Amino acid sequence: MAVLRADGVGGALEIGCIEARFEGREELAAAPPEQVRPSYRRALAVARAARAATFELRTLVSLARLPGAPEERLAALAAVRSLHATFTQGHGSVDLADARALLEAAH
């Protein structure tokens, strides 16, 4: 993954978030979830630094879907619920629908 600065340059930060999420997905295919979580955590940190709510939501959904670590799953679900509630538009988007489905399935 490229080294990125958290200086408000949204484009570079968003690219870093996307790269870290894809690294996590690729790792998940070949590694246990505990080895994948660091990539998702990096993606989450980058998304938050960029104030990129959609990327943050995508990453939280990915974290919540990882098997194992029930306390981390519950924390991710709570964060998804909280962040999802902040969206005032785009409720028909794939990302928000995906988050909503995850939350409904968790009940």
Side-chain angles (χ1 to χ4, degrees):
M1 181 163 114
V3 176
L4 301 169
R5 299 178 327 204
D7 61 359
V9 182
L13 288 169
E14 289 171 4
I15 290 168
C17 177
I18 293 167
E19 287 176 354
R21 274 189 74 241
F22 280 114
E23 284 175 11
R25 283 185 177 178
E26 289 173 4
E27 290 168 357
L28 187 56
E34 61 272 5
Q35 292 179 8
V36 176
R37 280 188 181 83
S39 290
Y40 285 136
R41 286 186 197 118
R42 275 194 317 277
L44 187 59
V46 173
R48 286 177 173 163
R51 296 186 182 141
T54 301
F55 290 116
E56 182 179 352
L57 186 67
R58 288 177 189 166
T59 304
L60 286 167
V61 167
S62 296
L63 273 168
R65 287 190 170 138
L66 284 177
E71 63 287 340
E72 189 159 353
R73 178 173 167 27
L74 290 174
L77 283 170
V80 168
R81 187 174 293 107
S82 177
L83 184 58
H84 185 272
T86 68
F87 284 85
T88 59
Q89 52 187 322
H91 289 278
S93 72
V94 173
D95 294 316
L96 289 176
D98 195 27
R100 189 171 40 256
L102 173 71
L103 293 171
E104 289 171 359
H107 274 34

